[in-house]
Amino acid sequence: MDLSPIISKATVASAGETGSWRNYRPAVTADLCSKCGNCILYCPEGVISEGGDSVEIDYRFCKGCGVCKEVCEQRAIEMIPE
Ligand code: SF4
Ligand code: SF4
């Protein structure tokens, strides 16, 4: 069964600029990050990218949903109050 019409990647930053109303922000501990890419794959806003020692999050568009924290098997991401 072809699911491609049903399953699609979220539009990058579909929620618009969320920095002003986000309650929590994901913080990455670079030392724990294995660069597995799970957070990049599952972020519904598509705002995580490879960068430096770990990953980079574009906080202008991150909505603080916490999906990245949940899918990080290294526990390298924590959600901290804004
Ligand atoms: S899911 Fe966790 S370990 Fe994997 S790239 Fe993201 S922060 Fe790093
Ligand atoms: S909290 Fe994580 S998964 Fe959710 S939008 Fe921000 S970077 Fe993406």
Side-chain angles (χ1 to χ4, degrees):
M1 179 178 176
D2 181 9
L3 295 177
S4 56
I6 302 170
I7 302 172
S8 60
K9 178 74 176 154
T11 303
V12 173
S14 63
E17 292 200 24
T18 59
S20 63
W21 55 258
R22 183 183 55 234
N23 291 325
Y24 288 87
R25 91 167 32 210
V28 181
T29 301
D31 287 349
L32 296 176
C33 175
S34 65
K35 301 184 92 171
C36 69
N38 273 355
C39 55
I40 296 172
L41 183 64
Y42 287 103
C43 171
E45 293 301 314
V47 297
I48 308 178
S49 57
E50 287 186 55
D53 296 332
S54 58
V55 292
E56 289 183 356
I57 298 172
D58 188 339
Y59 289 111
R60 292 174 303 160
F61 300 105
C62 164
K63 60 186 178 185
C65 65
V67 167
C68 52
K69 174 184 184 294
E70 294 301 317
V71 300
C72 179
E73 296 178 355
Q74 302 301 318
R75 298 178 184 250
I77 300 177
E78 62 176 328
M79 301 299 292
I80 57 176
E82 290 283 15

